[in-house]
Amino acid sequence: MAKLILSMDSLVIQEIPLNKERITIGRKPHNDVQIDNLAVSGEHLVVVTVLNDTFIEDLNSTNGTFINGQSIKKHFLQNGDVVELGKYRLKYIKDAKEVSQQVATTDFEKTMVLRPGMAQKTVEKAESRSMGDTQVGIKAMAPPPRQAPQPAPAALPLGTIQVLSGANAGREMDLIKTLTTMGKPGVQVAVIARRPHGYFITHVEGANFPIVNGKTLDAQAHQLSDHDVIELAGVKMEFFIKA
């Protein structure tokens, strides 16, 4: 299971298991992780985990959120990334098995697709600790209700992405997973979700939003149609439905 290691001045304060889809971090007590320090905003950031992918988004905090020394608004986390909130550090650690699988992917998949896998769901109850006049509290997170895996609807035709430009031109990838992450981390990242009623692309990271058929998308999910042309991280690709 992926986790965040919270520390200050090289002293580890707590481990935060990413065992729920949405975890908020901030100074106010209603956050999942409370850091009672003036450098941290009341609602500073949110960590979103979907399957095996984790994203972080700054919630318009006063002092901002930095990852590996760079200010971010949204960011797709990779193993070893360090999130900075004032004097605090949150290091993102993925499961060792998941990291090995990611390294073993093909060159095409490493540059265009980061495969999501099913993450294990466990619950760890964390204890509050104090450090001088700074209080760090982590609430116990209730486990999500157990549900049997839901297979992709048989009625939904298979969607496919074909790369039109760049080194991987001509390559095809079937969108068989519930969520497929595409793009280049740190530059531009989007996800394509396979839903019962179609395929939807959503912007995740980067100053520029994806372009579909020459039109720049906004922050909302956009439903893809057969033969739509997507421009992402400098690469053109076509979405089409296989007969």
Side-chain angles (χ1 to χ4, degrees):
M1 178 196 299
K3 59 185 177 182
L4 292 170
I5 308 296
L6 177 64
S7 65
M8 186 177 75
D9 296 331
S10 300
L11 177 65
V12 173
I13 300 173
Q14 191 62 263
E15 292 188 5
I16 306 167
L18 301 181
N19 56 6
K20 57 185 293 188
E21 181 176 342
R22 184 181 177 89
I23 295 176
T24 58
I25 299 176
R27 192 178 68 254
K28 294 182 179 179
H30 65 260
N31 290 282
D32 296 303
V33 179
Q34 181 191 10
I35 303 178
D36 189 8
N37 184 275
L38 292 178
V40 179
S41 294
E43 296 174 350
H44 199 105
L45 61 85
V46 62
V47 181
V48 178
T49 301
V50 181
L51 298 180
N52 194 35
D53 290 336
T54 300
F55 313 99
I56 195 166
E57 180 178 0
D58 182 85
L59 299 177
N60 297 317
S61 64
T62 301
N63 295 319
T65 300
F66 294 79
I67 294 184
N68 304 327
Q70 295 187 349
S71 177
I72 62 96
K73 177 60 179 176
K74 282 186 178 181
H75 181 79
F76 175 80
L77 286 174
Q78 298 189 86
N79 187 55
D81 276 352
V82 177
V83 185
E84 304 170 38
L85 299 89
K87 294 182 179 180
Y88 291 89
R89 301 292 183 270
L90 287 162
K91 187 172 184 179
Y92 176 66
I93 303 295
K94 294 191 72 172
D95 179 81
K97 182 179 179 180
E98 295 170 2
V99 175
S100 298
Q101 290 175 343
Q102 183 175 345
V103 172
T105 55
T106 64
D107 179 66
F108 169 66
E109 288 164 334
K110 283 189 288 185
T111 56
M112 289 304 302
V113 181
L114 300 174
R115 293 180 176 179
M118 291 304 293
Q120 296 178 347
K121 300 288 184 179
T122 61
V123 178
E124 298 179 10
K125 184 175 182 181
E127 299 177 348
S128 297
R129 296 188 181 183
S130 63
M131 180 175 298
D133 61 351
T134 300
Q135 298 293 326
V136 179
I138 300 181
K139 298 179 180 179
M141 299 173 188
R146 292 182 178 274
Q147 295 181 352
Q150 297 295 322
L156 182 65
L158 179 63
T160 299
I161 289 290
Q162 182 180 48
V163 181
L164 302 178
S165 65
N168 294 303
R171 297 291 297 272
E172 292 186 5
M173 178 186 61
D174 292 338
L175 302 173
I176 59 176
K177 300 181 183 299
T178 304
L179 188 73
T180 301
T181 306
M182 308 181 66
K184 296 180 181 178
V187 179
Q188 191 178 29
V189 176
V191 294
I192 295 180
R194 178 184 171 96
R195 300 178 182 175
H197 51 290
Y199 294 85
F200 293 77
I201 184 171
T202 304
H203 174 75
V204 172
E205 177 187 355
N208 298 319
F209 284 70
I211 298 173
V212 176
N213 299 329
K215 181 180 179 180
T216 302
L217 303 183
D218 55 22
Q220 302 300 315
H222 174 82
Q223 185 169 9
L224 292 171
S225 300
D226 195 22
H227 297 298
D228 275 352
V229 176
I230 304 167
E231 296 180 49
L232 183 68
V235 177
K236 284 189 176 182
M237 59 198 82
E238 180 182 1
F239 168 82
F240 65 91
I241 298 297
K242 281 193 172 181

